[in-house]
Amino acid sequence: MCDVGITVLDGDTLRSLHVSLREDTVSLTGAQVLDLAESEASRSLLGLSLPQHLKSSALLRMNIDGVDDDVDFRRKELSPEEASRKLNEYLSAIADELKDNPLVASILDGSALRMFLEDEDDFAMIAENLFTDLDTEDKGMISKREIRNAVVNMGVEMGVPPLEEFPLINDILKKHGAEEEGELGQSQFAELLQPILQEVADALAKKHFAVIHNIKIVNGSELKKVLANEKKLNDVIAKIKQEKDNGKSGHKSTEIIKDFLEKNGKELGLPPAEANEAVILLYDAVFAAIDSGEGASEEEDEFRKLVTEILEKFAEQLEANPIYCDLDG
């Protein structure tokens, strides 16, 4: 079995994109401008439909904030010059949002399906596992209609798009009689499943399907914003200093800072401390590089420098080696 690969969409393909309006354009509404920009962005992003959270965040970057602003802008009539400016401003905002919060997608082109279909042993093992999972009563027979559930259970990880988003699969199932009455043994199940998956693979080869994963990439961009904002940085340092003053004066400064970041780092743009082993290695790498001496630093300026240095090292590490956090757990 071969899991499908992933593609990171960080907005790079949008940065060089400049869209011009037709010469005969007299005016456009804000809604038409947004629709045109989203269509162009989707075309540059493997045909993906832009998630609502991405569009909303991009509009915020354009100071279109909330329902009222959004409705007003969509209704507004724009001159060709203003429409062109807003269109490309929106594309840039989408690109900037993707730089800070990249999307993780898989492109299903049939190759993953073909790979195990071409390997008899691999396909036999998958078919057996699927059949066993569906044969809940351990009778050695399942309903013919369970073929649909078998395809659903394979999922994106094995190269099969969601049925509700790739309705052609329904036509393929119907063509092969997978919706008819009757029962199948394991060998009959495998014989019916194989041509169905082959047709799905062929269909994907002709028209690729992109799916977005619920994965957040932590790449240090949010943390850099904290470091660049003196007020936010001062607030963070003050909170850590308060913990130090409230009963932790005997601890090393690095221990106090590490404990605070493990509990509150997510708010600063750090990955959750419990996310995965990569996060543990990240913390180890950052604090191994810091030499704070044996005791806690009593000088406020020195403590500030230490916190800043640690946050900067986190940002550097995350930029070099982003961490993928599965939001589905």
Side-chain angles (χ1 to χ4, degrees), residues 14 28 36 45 64-65 69 87 94 106 109 155 158 188 206 221 263-264 286 293 299-300 305 317 328:
L14 296 179
L28 288 175
L36 179 57
L45 296 172
I64 299 176
D65 186 4
D69 284 351
L87 188 156
I94 293 172
S106 288
D109 59 4
M158 296 179 67
Q188 294 168 308
K206 293 177 183 177
S221 61
K263 294 176 181 176
N264 305 282
V286 168
E299 297 294 331
E300 187 169 335
K305 288 179 183 177
Q317 289 278 347
D328 290 329

Coordinates of all heavy atoms in Angstrom, one line a residue, residues 14 28 36 45 64-65 69 87 94 106 109 155 158 188 206 221 263-264 286 293 299-300 305 317 328:
L14 N 1.1 32.5 -6.2 CA 0.3 33.7 -6.3 C 1.0 35.0 -6.4 O 0.5 36.0 -6.8 CB -0.7 33.8 -5.2 CG -1.8 32.6 -5.0 CD1 -2.7 32.9 -3.8 CD2 -2.6 32.6 -6.3
L28 N -17.2 47.0 -12.1 CA -17.5 45.7 -11.5 C -18.0 46.0 -10.1 O -17.5 47.0 -9.4 CB -16.2 44.9 -11.5 CG -15.7 44.3 -12.8 CD1 -14.4 43.6 -12.5 CD2 -16.7 43.3 -13.4
L36 N -13.8 36.9 -9.0 CA -12.7 36.7 -10.1 C -11.4 36.4 -9.4 O -10.6 35.5 -9.9 CB -12.6 38.0 -10.9 CG -11.6 38.1 -12.0 CD1 -11.7 37.0 -13.0 CD2 -11.6 39.4 -12.7
L45 N -3.8 27.3 -7.5 CA -3.6 26.5 -6.3 C -4.2 25.1 -6.6 O -5.0 24.5 -5.8 CB -4.2 27.1 -5.1 CG -3.6 28.4 -4.6 CD1 -4.5 29.0 -3.5 CD2 -2.2 28.2 -4.1
I64 N -11.4 44.6 5.4 CA -12.8 44.3 5.2 C -13.1 43.4 6.3 O -12.9 42.2 6.3 CB -13.1 43.6 3.8 CG1 -12.6 44.6 2.7 CG2 -14.5 43.3 3.7 CD1 -12.8 44.0 1.3
D65 N -13.7 44.0 7.4 CA -13.8 43.3 8.7 C -15.3 43.1 9.1 O -16.0 44.1 9.2 CB -13.1 44.1 9.8 CG -13.1 43.3 11.1 OD1 -13.5 42.2 11.2 OD2 -12.6 43.9 12.1
D69 N -19.0 45.2 6.7 CA -18.0 45.6 5.8 C -18.0 44.8 4.5 O -17.9 45.3 3.4 CB -16.6 45.6 6.4 CG -16.4 46.7 7.4 OD1 -17.2 47.6 7.4 OD2 -15.4 46.7 8.1
L87 N -8.7 43.7 -6.9 CA -8.5 42.3 -7.3 C -7.1 41.8 -6.9 O -6.9 40.7 -6.3 CB -8.8 42.2 -8.8 CG -8.9 40.8 -9.4 CD1 -9.7 40.9 -10.7 CD2 -7.5 40.2 -9.7
I94 N -4.3 36.9 0.0 CA -4.4 35.5 0.0 C -3.0 34.8 0.1 O -2.8 33.9 0.9 CB -5.2 34.9 -1.2 CG1 -6.7 35.3 -1.1 CG2 -5.1 33.4 -1.2 CD1 -7.5 35.0 -2.4
S106 N -3.4 17.1 -0.7 CA -3.0 15.9 -1.5 C -3.6 16.0 -2.9 O -4.8 16.4 -3.0 CB -3.4 14.7 -0.8 OG -2.7 14.4 0.4
D109 N -4.3 11.7 -8.3 CA -4.2 11.6 -9.7 C -4.3 10.1 -10.2 O -4.0 9.8 -11.4 CB -2.9 12.2 -10.2 CG -1.6 11.5 -9.6 OD1 -1.8 10.6 -8.9 OD2 -0.5 12.0 -9.9
G155 N -10.5 5.8 1.5 CA -10.3 7.2 1.8 C -9.1 7.8 1.1 O -8.4 7.2 0.2
M158 N -5.5 6.4 0.8 CA -5.2 5.4 -0.2 C -5.5 5.9 -1.6 O -5.6 5.1 -2.6 CB -5.9 4.1 0.1 CG -5.5 3.5 1.4 SD -6.4 2.0 1.8 CE -5.8 0.9 0.5
Q188 N -15.1 -13.0 -4.5 CA -16.0 -12.3 -5.4 C -15.9 -10.8 -5.1 O -16.0 -9.9 -6.0 CB -17.4 -12.8 -5.1 CG -17.7 -14.2 -5.5 CD -19.0 -14.7 -5.0 OE1 -19.3 -14.6 -3.8 NE2 -19.8 -15.2 -5.9
K206 N -7.4 11.5 -15.6 CA -7.9 12.5 -16.5 C -8.2 13.8 -15.8 O -8.0 14.9 -16.4 CB -9.2 12.0 -17.2 CG -8.9 10.8 -18.1 CD -10.2 10.2 -18.7 CE -10.0 9.0 -19.5 NZ -11.3 8.4 -20.0
S221 N 6.2 32.1 11.6 CA 5.7 33.4 11.1 C 5.0 34.1 12.2 O 5.1 35.4 12.3 CB 4.9 33.2 9.8 OG 3.8 32.4 10.1
K263 N 3.1 25.8 28.3 CA 1.7 26.0 28.7 C 1.0 27.0 27.8 O -0.2 26.9 27.5 CB 1.6 26.4 30.2 CG 2.1 25.4 31.2 CD 2.0 25.9 32.6 CE 2.5 24.9 33.6 NZ 2.6 25.5 35.0
N264 N 1.8 28.0 27.3 CA 1.2 29.1 26.7 C 1.7 29.4 25.3 O 1.3 30.4 24.6 CB 1.3 30.4 27.5 CG 0.8 30.3 28.9 OD1 -0.4 30.3 29.2 ND2 1.7 30.1 29.8
V286 N 16.3 24.0 21.2 CA 16.4 25.4 21.5 C 17.0 25.6 22.9 O 18.0 26.4 23.0 CB 15.0 26.0 21.5 CG1 15.0 27.4 22.2 CG2 14.4 26.1 20.1
G293 N 23.4 29.8 32.9 CA 24.0 29.7 34.3 C 23.2 28.9 35.2 O 22.2 28.3 34.9
E299 N 18.7 40.3 37.0 CA 18.6 41.6 36.3 C 17.5 41.5 35.2 O 17.5 40.6 34.4 CB 20.0 41.8 35.6 CG 21.2 42.0 36.5 CD 21.0 43.3 37.4 OE1 20.4 44.2 36.9 OE2 21.5 43.3 38.5
E300 N 16.6 42.5 35.3 CA 15.5 42.5 34.4 C 15.9 42.6 32.9 O 15.4 41.9 32.1 CB 14.6 43.7 34.7 CG 13.3 43.7 33.9 CD 12.3 44.8 34.4 OE1 12.4 45.1 35.6 OE2 11.5 45.2 33.6
K305 N 16.6 39.9 27.7 CA 17.4 39.4 26.6 C 17.3 37.9 26.4 O 17.3 37.3 25.3 CB 18.9 39.8 26.8 CG 19.2 41.3 26.7 CD 20.6 41.6 27.0 CE 20.9 43.1 26.9 NZ 22.3 43.4 27.2
Q317 N 14.4 28.0 14.2 CA 14.2 26.5 14.1 C 13.0 26.2 13.3 O 13.0 25.3 12.4 CB 14.2 25.9 15.5 CG 15.5 25.9 16.2 CD 16.4 24.7 15.8 OE1 16.0 23.8 15.1 NE2 17.6 24.8 16.2
D328 N -6.8 17.0 13.6 CA -7.8 15.9 13.9 C -7.3 15.0 15.0 O -7.9 14.0 15.3 CB -8.0 15.1 12.6 CG -8.8 15.9 11.6 OD1 -9.6 16.8 12.0 OD2 -8.6 15.7 10.4

